Amino acid sequence: AASDVYKRQEFACVRANLISDSKNENNIRVTLLGRNERELASSPLKTGFVLFEEITFGHYRLAFVRNGTRIGMYRFEIKDSSHAK
């Protein structure tokens, strides 16, 4: 899986793309998890990517689930880089 994170004002948007040779992508759900594995958003992967918008800064995980079984995890952090030099 690959992801892009881009900032829009005080929020970020996360786009997750699945790179796979398999045709079983229709059965995959991508879930955005926050602190303590709390589910923040979830979407079926129907077009090869999902987009989660207006995500605040912090630590997150994307969980990839097929037929109720977690098949992958991607951890990332969204930082405010507006003050970077």
Side-chain angles (χ1 to χ4, degrees):
S3 68
D4 300 315
V5 178
Y6 56 94
K7 182 180 168 187
R8 185 172 63 206
Q9 296 177 15
E10 68 276 1
F11 297 107
C13 299
V14 177
R15 177 181 164 149
N17 301 304
L18 182 68
I19 301 168
S20 171
D21 294 334
S22 173
K23 297 298 180 189
N24 293 327
E25 296 159 4
N26 293 336
N27 299 328
I28 296 176
R29 174 168 287 277
V30 181
T31 302
L32 178 66
L33 302 170
R35 175 174 267 158
N36 298 324
E37 299 260 334
R38 188 174 134 240
E39 182 176 319
L40 303 175
S42 187
S43 179
L45 185 67
K46 292 186 176 182
T47 59
F49 74 92
V50 296
L51 180 66
F52 299 114
E53 297 183 289
E54 297 187 4
I55 308 302
T56 58
F57 304 117
H59 295 270
Y60 297 92
R61 295 176 185 176
L62 291 176
F64 298 88
V65 177
R66 179 184 292 136
N67 298 325
T69 302
R70 187 178 287 182
I71 59 171
M73 179 79 71
Y74 179 76
R75 297 172 192 228
F76 64 97
E77 179 181 5
I78 299 173
K79 297 180 182 180
D80 181 1
S81 61
S82 64
H83 302 292
K85 295 181 179 183

